[in-house]
Amino acid sequence: MAQMLLYRRRGWGSALIEVQLAWYGMPVDLVEVGDVFRDAEERERLIRINPAGQVPALVLPDGRLMTESAAITLHLADLAGSADLVPQPAAPERADFLRWLIFIVAQIYPCFTFGDAPARYVTDPQAQEEMQQRIFARAEQMWLALGQAASADGPWFLGERFSALDLYLGVMGHWEPGLEWFRTHLPRVDAIRQAVQGEPRLAPAFAANFDD
Ligand SMILES: N[C@@H](CCC(=O)N[C@@H](CS)C(=O)NCC(=O)O)C(=O)O
């Protein structure tokens, strides 16, 4: 059977999928994508693959393309036949898992989509700055809401139950508002980020994406 192929860029959302593939021990070919925020041609090239112009974009063994990290997360668990990262339908953690997985991709992630590149949406530089500030402020609110939902006792977001949510925190905990902000405002999220990075099965995939 053909191997999967992942369009990726170091430290970007493709890392969410790289760490899951590493967890399951699934081999993958990697295709490097340039900086689509700076390189218009590269952006056009990626848009031809994923209409949203984003990574992760994953070509499945049967040649179909999958995008959207949450959908890929659920599908990889199915492919692996594993409940390691995705609690099964009858599991008590399932509802919380789904709620916060979708919260991350529907509430937090779009703040980056629009906040990272305000010049795509408004022309006035002052308006761009204001738009970015307000969107990143919204991101902080959403992070705080998510942080309040994290199990206080740990060790993981869902308590004793390790899941893909922890991997999302491990990756996205590197992004805006920044490591220092997480350390100060959401020490639980920061602790989860550090813990997942230290998992021996995941450490190489994290090292391939982040310097710390
Ligand atoms: N909803 C998507 C979001 C993916 C996404 O925003 N990826 C970012 C990198 S972290 C990207 O490729 N951005 C480029 C752009 O929006 O032009 C998912 O969950 O996979």
Side-chain angles (χ1 to χ4, degrees), residues 12-13 36-37 43 53-56 68-69 105 109 113 120 175:
W12 287 22
V36 296
F37 291 107
R43 184 161 183 239
Q54 295 174 336
V55 294
E68 299 306 322
S69 61
V105 295
Y109 218 150
T113 306
R120 286 181 189 165
W175 301 349

Side-chain angles (χ1 to χ4, degrees), residues 11 17 49 57 75 86 99 130 157 159 176 192 210:
I17 305 310
I49 295 155
H75 191 61
V86 175
R99 177 182 176 194
E130 186 181 1
F157 183 87
E176 289 294 328
I192 291 171
F210 303 105

Side-chain angles (χ1 to χ4, degrees), residues 11-12 15 56 58 76 83 101 129-130 138 141 151 175 205:
W12 287 22
L58 181 71
L76 287 181
L101 176 69
E129 205 180 310
E130 186 181 1
R138 160 91 182 168
Q141 285 169 3
S151 154
W175 301 349

